[in-house]
Amino acid sequence: MAKKREVASANLQNLYRIFTVPEAPDSTLGAIDQAISDDVSGFLQTHIVALERSLEEIEADFFVSAIPEEPTFVSEYTDFVKEKLVAQSVHTAAPGFVGHMTSALPYFMLPLSRIMTALNQNLVKVETSKAFTPLERQVLAMLHRLIYQGDEPFYQSWMHNSLHALGAFCSGGTIANVTALWVARNRLLAPIGSFKGVAQEGLVRGMQHLGCDGLAVLVSRRGHYSLGKAADLLGIGRDNLVMIETDAHNRIDLQHLRDSSRRLQDANIRPLALVGVAGTTETGNIDPLAAMADFALELGCHFHVDAAWGGPTLFSQRHRHLLAGIERADSVTIDAHKQLYVPMGAGMVLFKDPTALSAIEHHAAYILRHGSKDLGSHTLEGSRPGKALLVHAGLSIIGRKGYELLIDLGIERARVFAGMIQEHADFELTSVPELNILTYRYCPQAIRQALANSSAAVSCRINLLLDQVNQLMQKIQREAGKTFVSRTRLRVAAYAGKELTVFRVVLANPLTTEAILAEVLAEQCSIAQQPEVQELLLQIDELCRARAAV
Amino acid sequence: MAKKREVASANLQNLYRIFTVPEAPDSTLGAIDQAISDDVSGFLQTHIVALERSLEEIEADFFVSAIPEEPTFVSEYTDFVKEKLVAQSVHTAAPGFVGHMTSALPYFMLPLSRIMTALNQNLVKVETSKAFTPLERQVLAMLHRLIYQGDEPFYQSWMHNSLHALGAFCSGGTIANVTALWVARNRLLAPIGSFKGVAQEGLVRGMQHLGCDGLAVLVSRRGHYSLGKAADLLGIGRDNLVMIETDAHNRIDLQHLRDSSRRLQDANIRPLALVGVAGTTETGNIDPLAAMADFALELGCHFHVDAAWGGPTLFSQRHRHLLAGIERADSVTIDAHKQLYVPMGAGMVLFKDPTALSAIEHHAAYILRHGSKDLGSHTLEGSRPGKALLVHAGLSIIGRKGYELLIDLGIERARVFAGMIQEHADFELTSVPELNILTYRYCPQAIRQALANSSAAVSCRINLLLDQVNQLMQKIQREAGKTFVSRTRLRVAAYAGKELTVFRVVLANPLTTEAILAEVLAEQCSIAQQPEVQELLLQIDELCRARAAV
């Protein structure tokens, strides 16, 4: 018994140590920590090895479902992290990793993230965040001002107003888009007369009150998939997320939008919101926002702009005109973990009307009391970390002009890369970059000529094979781990709007040089020589020759 | 012109430096970084000063709404962070900060958080997370097993199944609860025959299909406020979040639950879900989960358990019986940033049925393709950081037995503190702790006697004044910054279920000693001597004496 008590007490002492004694600098974890703070890109380069291990092989290291009974030494665990996790991570910061929206981070983000983590503030309420609450309110005002350009008195009176918030910090663009449409729905179905509002009475009563058979959200085919989730979640239904055709430049087709709206009217379905995209996820194109603002006014519906990607284009004097009309949006989504270069997990939604978020306001007895400045009364999420610090740091340290440089650089680089693709005999540009995103595919000149001269049926068969070629090439390139592009399916105007498999490139990493982009193409050309790819290309060749023989 | 180009090029060089050159160890930011990694609690103690500055004063430092034009030196910005932000933060890790659910963090969480931040993986898809995806799947399996105790073959076949996920990582408990009810709604209104399901057709069609006038979610009065948001968001309406009365121990009253269900049936409203609470936010009590599981079966509805706080009680051999019945829940919410001691921003929802999340499954052309193991196809959120690493680290390094010690310690400490309160002449315990949360109020013995002997009207007036006393005391104590308890409004059985203002204490920080708890009470006693409080107490005294004079 005494022995048992002794063991328990020893365990307790060990437990206290975990909370009170820092890792020694010469411990494994201390050493990694130091190595990262000394030279993160060096550390990542050395440790994220391009192992050609399949996911199935990696899974073997993550197959135990039982929670370990006994504690493990930190040093032992750190070895696991190094060998099994870091070594098998994706080097998202590598300049040759141009396939997705995750880029290198400015160095200062790391120590500031550590400060944020150590402070462990909770932004849901002032009692657990104090200065972080005014800080977050300030950041929301800064972004609001970037978009809506209100005047000084406007921000002085609204920024720290305890009854309102100019927007909401979120874990990402999805929650931002959901919040925007949630607000739109609750405002359309606000309390009036004996109707207590959709928030209180629910959607069925709301529809009865409105006297219509459904609500619709209109967005182009290139709208982000989070809008489908929002339509589902909010009870609107995915069928009522109306995907409008796009023009040759992946922008919403206004005539088609008009036609669809008429059809909705005939079906007694009320347009809840029109969503403009400022930087489509797959091609980086921007909808005609000003014309859409006009049309939303005509429809009498909420106008939301999903600028998760393209929002920071507003920093650029040269390019901000591309987003003209965004200042007329009722709400705008911007992701900080994209082109504000903040670590993963930081999105925002801003509202033109500083009282808009009242539509989703909520309270609780132990926090978020009426009149408190707690930000949690106006957010979809509850407890949240102090990520606003990192956005604030970016805006302060990089400044408007610094972000402008980054934006201009990316757009310029995309133009250069588009030129390289167009000049290359083996590639075909499938979307002209408007911002810093473009798509292309492997399609040698001879095949392009054959496609131009073939019957629709043959051309279709060739394209199906090319889809396989491009899919396979992307997979081989990804697994080799030297450079990385992503892939998607895209309707391409040059092929009568047929959906093709294409490579997708996002050029946001300032360290991506033209030489690296040339390497991406060179690597793809060499992959095309691999037997599996050649086999498919031979089949295409046969189709082309059969056509020539006719 | 040449000059202009030179400036631009210099700016560009500076910008590259931000991404490539680490902060020097002797820079301000480097020094803070080092200080935190050497001794975080020392750093926090020294830098989070208990300034009696009001929020309004602090706001003066956060009043500029314009984004800075020019870049700022990191060192300059760091001074701002130190003086204006850190110095005015809340020391959530302090052992005397027992008012909310944020506690001290184990040391290893900090360097591991830095590794996570530096890797900047995005868990939405394997292409940007690789080993982190199997890691997250493993952590979900571990938590699933903790709750549902499936056998080895079960986890071997489901853990890494590309078509499914055993649960979802979320930014917190709110998104977890929303996800659970979203799944419940979509399963109740699943596609069948010509009905394509609520996800596709929306809630109005869903209700027509089901032939009922509404959906309801049933939970005790002590349910978390996120359920109200969920009811609003999902189109159910807050009126249909039926708050059931509780018994004297803040647990759902089963008779009242039965009565309410009958009333819903009469109104043709279908129960969507019954929600059990395992550790209420305000009092830490646990609903009778097994009996609720029975009743949910009887109702034929989804049974969700919100164990955001109390879930880790399952680690304790001694106390896990308190949650008996949780293994029968269709879904369970657990927050890792609460009693798993992970930094802010990590929640989870687990589903008993490994195919349940199919009800909200979604895909996109560029990611989340059918058959991929991308976790993003089964989460409400999109891009997400690799927080699973920190949960995995906690489970591995602390181990089941370590967490058991922490849980047992907290529960024991709450019992001890409850005893201290009950023995103290000036305080009154208002909820007996079942876990590590309790409530009490300042109410000296003489007043308690007067309350017991007064008419209902006088007693009511005394209690209203006591509410003011306790509210004021909590405010003074918070602003003084030495120790911190929170406050809430609670129906207290001893006062015929009247709602009173009470102090709320959460005892999860292992560094909180009995001596510190004694200090909390001592500080409150001395606050009670302050003139503003005395003034209110005098008014109470007069009421008591008036009664005595009658």
Side-chain angles (χ1 to χ4, degrees):
Chain A
M1 193 63 202
K3 178 82 201 238
K4 207 170 162 190
R5 210 174 303 137
E6 237 167 71
V7 171
S9 157
N11 287 344
L12 209 55
Q13 288 313 311
N14 283 334
L15 206 59
Y16 283 135
R17 284 176 59 86
I18 289 181
F19 285 85
T20 52
V21 183
E23 305 309 316
D26 58 348
S27 70
T28 325
L29 191 52
I32 294 184
D33 196 18
Q34 195 59 52
I36 292 181
S37 71
D38 288 348
D39 175 14
V40 65
S41 60
F43 176 85
L44 294 179
Q45 243 152 45
T46 324
H47 289 86
I48 301 186
V49 277
L51 282 171
E52 285 190 55
R53 279 188 78 190
S54 73
L55 193 59
E56 285 66 28
E57 284 174 273
I58 294 174
E59 279 168 2
D61 296 323
F62 303 91
F63 240 101
V64 179
S65 60
I67 292 170
E69 270 289 295
E70 304 291 336
T72 309
F73 286 112
V74 173
S75 58
E76 204 175 298
Y77 185 75
T78 308
D79 288 337
F80 162 82
V81 169
K82 219 166 80 177
E83 287 158 28
K84 304 300 185 189
L85 203 60
V86 176
Q88 293 173 162
S89 292
V90 179
H91 194 353
T92 56
F97 185 91
V98 292
H100 283 302
M101 292 175 160
T102 323
S103 140
L105 297 174
Y107 257 86
F108 62 80
M109 290 291 176
L110 284 182
L112 288 176
S113 290
R114 182 198 289 253
I115 294 176
M116 181 197 91
T117 307
L119 293 177
N120 208 26
Q121 306 292 287
N122 183 350
L123 268 288
V124 73
K125 52 193 173 286
V126 175
E127 283 183 348
T128 51
S129 64
K130 215 158 179 184
F132 271 76
T133 288
L135 172 89
E136 184 166 303
R137 286 180 170 275
Q138 181 185 25
V139 172
L140 289 170
M142 284 176 164
L143 271 299
H144 191 280
R145 191 163 177 168
L146 177 70
I147 297 162
Y148 295 111
Q149 303 187 52
D151 57 15
E152 200 54 42
F154 175 89
Y155 294 105
Q156 294 309 317
S157 66
W158 292 106
M159 188 171 12
H160 295 294
N161 189 313
S162 68
L163 301 175
H164 299 285
L166 291 169
F169 251 80
C170 315
S171 64
T174 297
I175 300 293
N177 281 339
V178 169
T179 303
L181 293 179
W182 185 21
V183 166
R185 192 199 67 183
N186 286 15
R187 275 160 73 96
L188 177 63
L189 295 164
I192 182 168
S194 65
F195 176 59
K196 288 185 286 170
V198 64
Q200 209 60 38
E201 297 198 28
L203 198 54
V204 175
R205 292 277 184 90
M207 292 294 90
Q208 286 165 358
H209 162 74
L210 212 60
C212 68
D213 294 328
L215 299 176
V217 174
L218 298 113
V219 66
S220 94
R221 283 209 167 277
R222 300 262 65 79
H224 191 256
Y225 72 96
S226 58
L227 297 168
K229 287 196 260 186
D232 175 352
L233 198 63
L234 293 166
I236 295 166
R238 287 170 178 269
D239 281 352
N240 292 322
L241 177 68
V242 184
M243 306 293 272
I244 311 292
E245 293 302 335
T246 50
D247 64 17
H249 297 287
N250 296 293
R251 302 184 195 116
I252 198 165
D253 180 322
L254 291 169
Q255 188 50 50
H256 195 268
L257 172 62
R258 208 166 268 281
D259 296 345
S260 295
S261 307
R262 211 166 293 127
R263 273 196 298 276
L264 288 174
Q265 205 177 0
D266 294 346
N268 194 30
I269 290 175
R270 175 79 176 252
L272 165 65
L274 174 62
V275 180
V277 189
T280 69
T281 315
E282 287 155 295
T283 63
N285 292 105
I286 300 158
D287 280 333
L289 302 180
M292 290 178 82
D294 288 340
F295 192 62
L297 206 64
E298 206 179 309
L299 289 177
C301 76
H302 186 102
F303 179 39
H304 174 66
V305 173
D306 181 355
W309 181 254
T313 311
L314 293 169
F315 290 122
S316 165
Q317 308 280 22
R318 201 185 311 164
H319 299 293
R320 70 169 292 149
H321 71 91
L322 293 170
L323 272 64
I326 196 172
E327 72 286 355
R328 294 172 60 197
D330 295 298
S331 54
V332 174
T333 289
I334 287 193
D335 262 349
H337 59 220
K338 295 192 168 100
Q339 296 204 80
L340 293 181
Y341 298 87
V342 160
M344 196 52 57
M348 279 168 282
V349 58
L350 289 311
F351 292 87
K352 184 173 196 167
D353 175 352
T355 69
L357 271 164
S358 303
I360 61 152
E361 197 178 327
H362 45 266
H363 297 276
Y366 68 108
I367 51 166
L368 317 181
R369 292 178 279 257
H370 285 276
S372 82
K373 296 199 172 183
D374 296 346
L375 282 159
S377 53
H378 292 89
T379 56
L380 168 45
E381 291 162 278
S383 296
R384 293 180 300 104
K387 290 255 166 165
L389 162 60
L390 306 179
V391 184
H392 189 266
L395 295 175
S396 305
I397 296 173
I398 299 177
R400 206 269 308 156
K401 287 189 178 169
Y403 278 118
E404 175 175 49
L405 266 173
L406 288 167
I407 291 290
D408 289 353
L409 208 66
I411 294 177
E412 180 55 27
R413 195 176 290 116
R415 281 185 194 163
V416 170
F417 191 42
M420 287 161 67
I421 290 164
Q422 282 173 315
E423 279 166 29
H424 200 296
D426 293 347
F427 296 99
E428 180 179 27
L429 193 70
T430 47
S431 63
V432 179
E434 198 170 357
L435 296 179
N436 49 6
I437 300 179
L438 60 79
T439 65
Y440 67 106
R441 66 171 182 166
Y442 184 77
C443 181
Q445 206 150 23
I447 302 180
R448 258 175 287 163
Q449 274 163 3
L451 278 167
N453 302 322
S454 297
S455 66
V458 173
S459 156
C460 178
R461 286 174 63 194
I462 294 175
N463 272 326
L464 282 173
L465 283 164
L466 276 174
D467 285 351
Q468 290 181 49
V469 167
N470 280 275
Q471 180 170 340
L472 182 60
M473 284 175 64
Q474 192 265 351
K475 184 169 173 278
I476 295 172
Q477 190 172 17
R478 184 188 70 220
E479 286 174 356
K482 269 178 283 188
T483 58
F484 170 76
V485 301
S486 59
R487 68 176 160 90
T488 192
R489 301 272 300 161
L490 201 67
R491 297 193 184 197
V492 178
Y495 293 98
K498 278 234 156 48
E499 210 174 65
L500 305 177
T501 294
V502 297
F503 302 132
R504 167 173 165 267
V505 166
V506 184
L507 292 163
N509 189 334
L511 308 177
T512 305
T513 59
E514 286 175 33
I516 289 169
L517 293 174
E519 268 172 48
V520 169
L521 296 184
E523 193 184 353
Q524 291 183 324
C525 287
S526 101
I527 288 170
Q529 300 307 316
Q530 294 193 12
E532 303 158 78
V533 184
Q534 281 295 316
E535 203 177 299
L536 288 165
L537 288 169
L538 265 175
Q539 290 179 43
I540 296 177
D541 205 36
E542 275 164 32
L543 277 174
C544 294
R545 266 182 292 138
R547 183 202 57 80
V550 172
Chain B
M1 192 64 203
K3 179 79 203 246
K4 207 170 162 188
R5 211 175 301 135
E6 238 168 69
V7 171
S9 156
N11 287 343
L12 209 56
Q13 289 314 312
N14 282 334
L15 205 59
Y16 283 135
R17 284 176 59 87
I18 288 181
F19 284 85
T20 52
V21 183
E23 304 310 316
D26 58 348
S27 69
T28 326
L29 190 52
I32 293 185
D33 197 18
Q34 196 59 53
I36 291 181
S37 71
D38 288 348
D39 176 14
V40 64
S41 60
F43 177 85
L44 294 179
Q45 243 151 45
T46 322
H47 289 85
I48 301 185
V49 277
L51 281 173
E52 284 191 57
R53 278 189 79 189
S54 73
L55 194 58
E56 284 65 28
E57 283 174 273
I58 294 174
E59 279 168 4
D61 297 324
F62 302 93
F63 240 100
V64 179
S65 60
I67 292 170
E69 269 291 293
E70 305 290 337
T72 308
F73 287 112
V74 173
S75 56
E76 204 174 300
Y77 185 75
T78 308
D79 288 337
F80 162 83
V81 168
K82 221 166 80 178
E83 288 157 27
K84 304 299 185 189
L85 205 59
V86 176
Q88 296 174 159
S89 292
V90 179
H91 194 353
T92 56
F97 185 91
V98 291
H100 283 302
M101 292 174 162
T102 323
S103 140
L105 296 174
Y107 258 85
F108 63 81
M109 289 292 175
L110 283 182
L112 288 174
S113 290
R114 181 196 292 252
I115 294 176
M116 181 196 91
T117 308
L119 293 176
N120 208 25
Q121 306 291 288
N122 182 348
L123 268 289
V124 73
K125 50 192 174 287
V126 174
E127 283 182 349
T128 50
S129 63
K130 216 159 177 180
F132 272 76
T133 288
L135 172 89
E136 185 166 303
R137 286 181 170 276
Q138 181 186 23
V139 172
L140 289 169
M142 284 175 163
L143 272 299
H144 191 281
R145 193 165 175 166
L146 177 70
I147 297 162
Y148 295 111
Q149 304 188 52
D151 57 15
E152 200 55 40
F154 175 88
Y155 294 104
Q156 294 309 315
S157 67
W158 292 107
M159 187 172 10
H160 295 294
N161 189 312
S162 68
L163 301 175
H164 300 285
L166 291 169
F169 251 80
C170 314
S171 63
T174 296
I175 300 294
N177 281 340
V178 168
T179 302
L181 294 180
W182 184 21
V183 166
R185 191 199 67 184
N186 286 14
R187 275 160 74 96
L188 176 63
L189 294 164
I192 182 168
S194 65
F195 176 60
K196 289 184 286 170
V198 65
Q200 210 59 39
E201 297 198 30
L203 197 56
V204 175
R205 292 277 185 90
M207 290 294 90
Q208 287 163 359
H209 163 74
L210 211 60
C212 67
D213 294 327
L215 299 176
V217 174
L218 298 112
V219 66
S220 94
R221 283 210 168 274
R222 301 261 65 80
H224 190 255
Y225 73 95
S226 59
L227 298 168
K229 289 196 259 185
D232 175 353
L233 198 64
L234 292 166
I236 295 166
R238 287 169 178 268
D239 280 352
N240 292 320
L241 178 68
V242 184
M243 306 293 271
I244 311 292
E245 294 302 336
T246 49
D247 64 15
H249 298 287
N250 296 292
R251 302 185 195 116
I252 198 166
D253 179 323
L254 291 168
Q255 187 50 51
H256 195 268
L257 173 62
R258 208 166 269 281
D259 296 344
S260 295
S261 307
R262 211 166 293 127
R263 272 195 298 276
L264 288 174
Q265 205 176 1
D266 294 345
N268 194 30
I269 290 176
R270 175 80 176 253
L272 166 65
L274 175 61
V275 180
V277 189
T280 67
T281 314
E282 287 154 294
T283 61
N285 292 104
I286 300 159
D287 279 333
L289 302 180
M292 290 179 83
D294 288 339
F295 192 62
L297 205 66
E298 205 180 309
L299 289 177
C301 77
H302 186 102
F303 179 40
H304 175 65
V305 172
D306 182 352
W309 181 256
T313 311
L314 293 169
F315 289 122
S316 164
Q317 307 281 22
R318 200 184 314 163
H319 299 294
R320 70 168 295 149
H321 71 91
L322 292 171
L323 272 64
I326 196 173
E327 72 286 354
R328 293 171 60 198
D330 294 298
S331 54
V332 174
T333 289
I334 287 194
D335 262 348
H337 59 222
K338 294 193 169 101
Q339 296 205 76
L340 293 181
Y341 298 87
V342 160
M344 196 50 58
M348 279 169 281
V349 57
L350 289 310
F351 291 87
K352 182 173 198 167
D353 175 353
T355 69
L357 272 165
S358 304
I360 61 150
E361 196 178 328
H362 47 266
H363 298 276
Y366 69 108
I367 51 166
L368 318 180
R369 292 177 280 256
H370 286 274
S372 82
K373 296 198 172 183
D374 297 346
L375 282 159
S377 53
H378 292 88
T379 54
L380 167 45
E381 290 162 278
S383 295
R384 291 180 302 105
K387 291 254 167 163
L389 162 59
L390 306 180
V391 184
H392 188 266
L395 295 175
S396 305
I397 295 173
I398 299 177
R400 206 269 308 155
K401 286 190 178 168
Y403 278 118
E404 176 175 47
L405 266 174
L406 287 168
I407 290 290
D408 290 354
L409 210 63
I411 294 177
E412 180 54 27
R413 196 175 290 115
R415 282 185 193 163
V416 169
F417 192 42
M420 287 160 69
I421 291 165
Q422 282 173 315
E423 279 165 28
H424 200 296
D426 293 346
F427 296 99
E428 179 178 28
L429 193 69
T430 48
S431 64
V432 179
E434 197 171 357
L435 296 178
N436 48 6
I437 300 179
L438 61 79
T439 64
Y440 67 106
R441 66 170 182 167
Y442 182 79
C443 182
Q445 208 150 21
I447 303 181
R448 259 175 289 163
Q449 273 164 3
L451 277 167
N453 302 323
S454 296
S455 66
V458 172
S459 155
C460 178
R461 286 173 65 193
I462 294 177
N463 271 327
L464 281 174
L465 283 164
L466 276 173
D467 286 350
Q468 289 181 50
V469 166
N470 281 273
Q471 179 170 340
L472 182 61
M473 285 175 63
Q474 191 265 351
K475 185 168 173 279
I476 295 172
Q477 190 172 17
R478 184 188 72 219
E479 285 173 358
K482 270 177 282 188
T483 58
F484 170 76
V485 302
S486 59
R487 68 176 161 91
T488 192
R489 300 273 298 161
L490 201 68
R491 297 193 184 196
V492 178
Y495 293 97
K498 277 236 159 46
E499 209 174 66
L500 305 177
T501 294
V502 297
F503 302 132
R504 167 173 164 265
V505 165
V506 184
L507 293 164
N509 189 334
L511 308 177
T512 305
T513 58
E514 286 175 34
I516 289 170
L517 293 174
E519 269 171 47
V520 169
L521 297 183
E523 194 184 352
Q524 292 182 325
C525 287
S526 101
I527 288 171
Q529 299 307 314
Q530 294 194 11
E532 305 158 76
V533 185
Q534 281 295 317
E535 202 178 300
L536 289 165
L537 288 170
L538 265 175
Q539 290 179 42
I540 296 177
D541 205 38
E542 275 166 31
L543 277 174
C544 295
R545 265 182 292 138
R547 185 201 59 79
V550 172

